[in-house]
Amino acid sequence: MFQQITGSLQSFGYFSQEHLSAIVDRLNMQHVKKDDCLIKEGQVCQTFYFINQGSFRHYTIQDNGEEATLNLFIQGEWLLEYKSFMTQQPSENFIRATTDSKVLALHVFDFHQLIKLSDGFFRLGRILEQAIQNQDFQHNRLSPEQKYERLLLTKPELLQQFPLKHIASYLGMTPETLSRIRKKISS
């Protein structure tokens, strides 16, 4: 069960078996049902989550009442509500399970306890870097076709995990535009 997360942790830098055990001992498994929220608007994020199984959508509700997808997460990835976590202020966004899921949670208190044990645990801060290195398709200057092609190159598995309306929102376009692009590229 912990093989996937230990592989992910090693990608941040080498951790000894003792360090990996110290991290794993502090993880809590949480079962999240489809459509349940890990983080809700108004809640302060105090936990890193590793997706052991399932998928999640990070979104906000705009002034017009429509949802805008900020990020999409799948098995083997870390997630958190970055701004809320860093500022310890209430979140303006939601993180919702799109399938029945299992996450391994590391609370910020446990993160700080690990750092007290050894400076080597500072490498866990790369989880935060990974959280902000999302593809940010909405705010870049790529054309809609380029955004879709980039998604196909970097995270094609999202197309099997999420409805097209969420993918379109993530890419910063309408579902109709995404349909036209998909049709054009496939022909």
Side-chain angles (χ1 to χ4, degrees):
M1 172 168 69
F2 294 107
Q3 184 176 8
Q4 192 174 26
I5 194 168
T6 55
S8 175
L9 291 168
Q10 293 291 29
S11 73
F12 300 133
Y14 176 75
F15 288 99
S16 67
Q17 193 58 46
E18 181 182 332
H19 281 171
L20 288 172
S21 293
I23 297 167
V24 167
D25 288 347
R26 286 169 173 77
L27 296 173
N28 295 306
M29 176 67 79
Q30 293 180 8
H31 297 270
V32 186
K33 292 192 182 292
K34 180 180 178 177
D35 295 326
D36 283 354
C37 285
L38 270 182
I39 300 291
K40 295 179 182 176
E41 181 180 37
Q43 180 182 353
V44 176
C45 180
Q46 298 184 329
T47 307
F48 304 121
Y49 299 97
F50 180 80
I51 305 171
N52 203 50
Q53 174 186 326
S55 56
F56 291 83
R57 184 170 71 104
H58 182 202
Y59 67 96
T60 191
I61 298 180
Q62 299 173 322
D63 292 338
N64 64 5
E66 296 204 16
E67 295 178 359
T69 301
L70 304 171
N71 210 340
L72 300 168
F73 297 95
I74 56 175
Q75 182 175 322
E77 294 184 324
W78 291 90
L79 72 129
L80 67 134
E81 192 352 85
Y82 180 80
K83 184 177 177 184
S84 174
F85 186 88
M86 293 304 289
T87 64
Q88 288 299 287
Q89 297 295 313
S91 175
E92 298 172 358
N93 307 311
F94 297 82
I95 297 177
R96 183 177 305 272
T98 58
T99 62
D100 287 342
S101 302
K102 293 178 185 175
V103 295
L104 297 167
L106 180 65
H107 193 274
V108 67
F109 173 79
D110 291 312
F111 174 65
H112 290 294
Q113 292 300 313
L114 288 167
I115 290 172
K116 285 181 185 177
L117 291 175
S118 168
D119 289 346
F121 289 110
F122 271 113
R123 288 189 295 272
L124 289 175
R126 294 192 56 207
I127 294 170
L128 298 172
E129 292 173 22
Q130 187 181 60
I132 60 172
Q133 287 178 352
N134 66 19
Q135 299 301 319
D136 197 16
F137 287 100
Q138 294 178 359
H139 300 104
N140 64 31
R141 294 189 176 148
L142 299 176
S143 72
E145 290 87 1
Q146 290 170 320
K147 289 178 183 183
Y148 183 70
E149 288 171 348
R150 183 171 168 197
L151 178 70
L152 288 174
L153 287 172
T154 59
K155 292 183 93 173
E157 59 276 7
L158 295 182
L159 295 168
Q160 284 82 45
Q161 299 280 331
F162 296 95
L164 288 181
K165 70 178 184 177
H166 296 310
I167 302 236
S169 178
Y170 176 52
L171 295 174
M173 62 182 75
T174 66
E176 296 77 20
T177 301
L178 179 56
S179 290
R180 279 193 306 276
I181 293 168
R182 286 172 51 101
K183 190 174 185 176
K184 179 181 173 185
I185 288 176
S186 67
S187 50

